[in-house]
């Protein structure tokens, strides 16, 4: 009995640093954000309680609803695109071939570049006048090409989602999928080969079910990354206004604009509460879907 109490105290002592960190750096900021969303706090610190006025103004705002739709679109497409791309790279790296480690290094290399630096590099590549991509097209087409890839309605999404393939999240997913593919029992592939299964049949009936827990993990982490990390990628590319015409203004950009350009910190906190709820809804939805689609070995 005395030994059991001693073990319990030891467990509480070990968990105490995490608990203090959670209370100070997670729970307290969330509670403070919710409290500030009920005020008209300005950037200079002046604050007055106004109840739900920020939320009423938000739900009447066309800018908010546009940003909300863009956030949902950006999150869904980014998670799908990066997850599929990471699976393809992992499958390529899982093949037995020479210089595999070099290929893995090359595939992962863009992922270690800070997101802001990566965004500025691609902004230069897809620039209108001196952009590398326009210069390449001009060389092949025989005339000057001056397309503003990041500021035209019909090209901006293509460019933005293309750039997401080189972010840290995609590289991390690729490594996780690679380790998962290495653990798939080869006997399953050998048995299916004897039965005459094609590559696609093996992929959909063996590979995907076996790595489905990793897909769930990467989908959740990718979703959180898209919601919270989109600011570092999109701000250097399309500014806080989400050009062109707010097509890329996700909620994190709108929060920054309201807090630091319009100095409406209370309103920005209300937007942050909505972003928090969106992230929670995405997490709940993915876990709900996973109950029927994820395979766990007994």
């Amino acid at each position: 009995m005395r030994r059991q109490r001693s073990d319990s105290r030891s467990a509480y002592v070990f968990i105490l640093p995490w608990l203090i960190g959670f209370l100070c750096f997670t729970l307290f900021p969330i509670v403070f954000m919710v409290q500030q969303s009920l005020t008209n706090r300005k950037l200079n610190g002046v604050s007055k309680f106004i109840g739900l006025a920020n939320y009423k103004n938000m739900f009447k705002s066309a800018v908010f609803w546009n940003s909300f739709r863009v956030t949902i679109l950006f999150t869904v497409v980014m998670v799908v695109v990066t997850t599929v791309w990471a699976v393809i790279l992992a499958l390529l790296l899982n093949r037995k071939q020479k210089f595999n480690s070099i290929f893995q290094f090359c595939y992962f290399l863009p992922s270690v570049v800070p997101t802001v630096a990566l965004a500025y590099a691609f902004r230069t590549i897809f620039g209108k006048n001196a952009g590398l991509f326009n210069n390449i097209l001009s060389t092949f087409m025989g005339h000057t090409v001056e397309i503003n890839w990041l500021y035209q309605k019909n090209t901006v999404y293509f460019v933005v989602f293309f750039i997401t393939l080189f972010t840290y999240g995609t590289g991390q997913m690729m490594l996780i999928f690679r380790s998962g593919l290495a653990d798939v029992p080869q006997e399953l592939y050998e048995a299916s080969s004897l039965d005459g299964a094609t590559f696609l049949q093996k992929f959909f009936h063996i590979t995907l079910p076996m790595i489905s827990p990793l897909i769930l993990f990467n989908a959740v982490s990718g979703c959180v990354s898209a919601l919270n990390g989109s600011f570092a990628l999109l701000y250097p590319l399309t500014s806080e206004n989400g050009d062109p015409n707010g097509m890329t203004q996700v909620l994190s950009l709108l929060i920054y604009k309201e807090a630091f350009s319009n100095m409406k910190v209370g309103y920005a906190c209300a937007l942050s509460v909505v972003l928090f709820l969106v992230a929670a809804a995405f997490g709940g939805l993915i876990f709900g879907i996973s109950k029927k689609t994820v395979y766990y070995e007994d």
Side-chain angles (χ1 to χ4, degrees), residues 48-274:
K48 180 184 176 183
F49 181 77
I50 57 172
L52 297 175
N54 283 328
Y55 293 95
K56 292 178 181 176
N57 294 332
M58 183 198 310
F59 294 134
K60 292 178 182 176
S61 169
V63 175
F64 163 74
W65 285 112
N66 172 71
S67 183
F68 185 82
R69 286 191 291 270
V70 171
T71 301
I72 301 297
L73 172 70
F74 183 81
T75 303
V76 172
V77 177
M78 181 176 172
V79 169
V80 172
V81 168
T82 54
T83 303
V84 171
W85 182 244
V87 170
I88 292 172
L89 290 181
L91 287 171
L92 292 174
L93 290 172
N94 199 46
R95 296 171 65 89
K96 293 180 181 177
Q97 56 193 357
K98 290 183 178 179
F99 311 118
N100 222 356
S101 57
I102 296 177
F103 287 131
Q104 179 169 311
F105 173 76
C106 293
Y107 290 154
F108 190 71
L109 187 60
S111 306
V112 300
V113 178
T115 305
V116 175
L118 184 77
Y120 272 109
F122 276 104
R123 182 178 169 179
T124 304
I125 291 172
F126 289 104
K128 179 182 177 182
N129 297 319
L132 177 63
F133 194 58
N134 277 343
N135 285 333
I136 293 174
L137 290 179
S138 300
T139 302
F140 282 102
M141 298 179 72
H143 61 84
T144 303
V145 176
E146 291 185 341
I147 300 175
N148 206 347
W149 297 93
L150 286 166
Y151 288 87
Q152 289 191 5
K153 292 181 180 179
N154 54 348
T155 59
V156 62
Y157 284 137
F158 167 76
V159 175
V160 167
F161 291 125
F162 174 75
I163 296 172
T164 61
L165 299 180
F166 301 93
T167 57
Y168 174 77
T170 308
Q172 185 184 37
M173 286 183 189
M174 179 192 71
L175 294 181
I176 293 173
F177 282 134
R178 173 84 195 283
S179 63
L181 289 173
D183 291 336
V184 178
Q186 293 302 308
E187 297 81 8
L188 297 177
Y189 293 114
E190 292 169 1
S192 62
S193 296
L194 292 175
D195 291 336
T198 63
F199 171 79
L200 288 179
Q201 287 173 325
K202 293 177 186 175
F203 177 74
F204 285 108
H205 295 290
I206 297 176
T207 306
L208 271 187
M210 294 302 290
I211 66 170
S212 55
L214 299 179
I215 294 176
L216 169 64
F217 173 78
N218 281 332
V220 173
S221 59
C223 180
V224 174
S225 174
L227 289 168
N228 296 332
S230 55
F231 177 84
L233 179 68
L234 293 176
Y235 182 77
L237 290 174
T238 58
S239 80
E240 65 182 21
N241 295 318
D243 292 324
N245 299 326
M247 287 182 66
T248 59
Q249 191 181 49
V250 293
L251 279 172
S252 55
L253 286 179
L254 184 60
I255 291 168
Y256 175 85
K257 181 179 179 180
E258 294 294 347
F260 297 104
S261 296
N262 299 336
M263 299 186 182
K264 297 192 293 187
V265 175
Y267 186 71
C269 286
L271 291 169
S272 301
V273 171
V274 172

Side-chain angles (χ1 to χ4, degrees), residues 20-31:
I20 293 173
F22 173 76
L23 292 174
C24 294
F25 303 114
T26 301
L27 187 60
F28 173 73
I30 291 174
V31 173

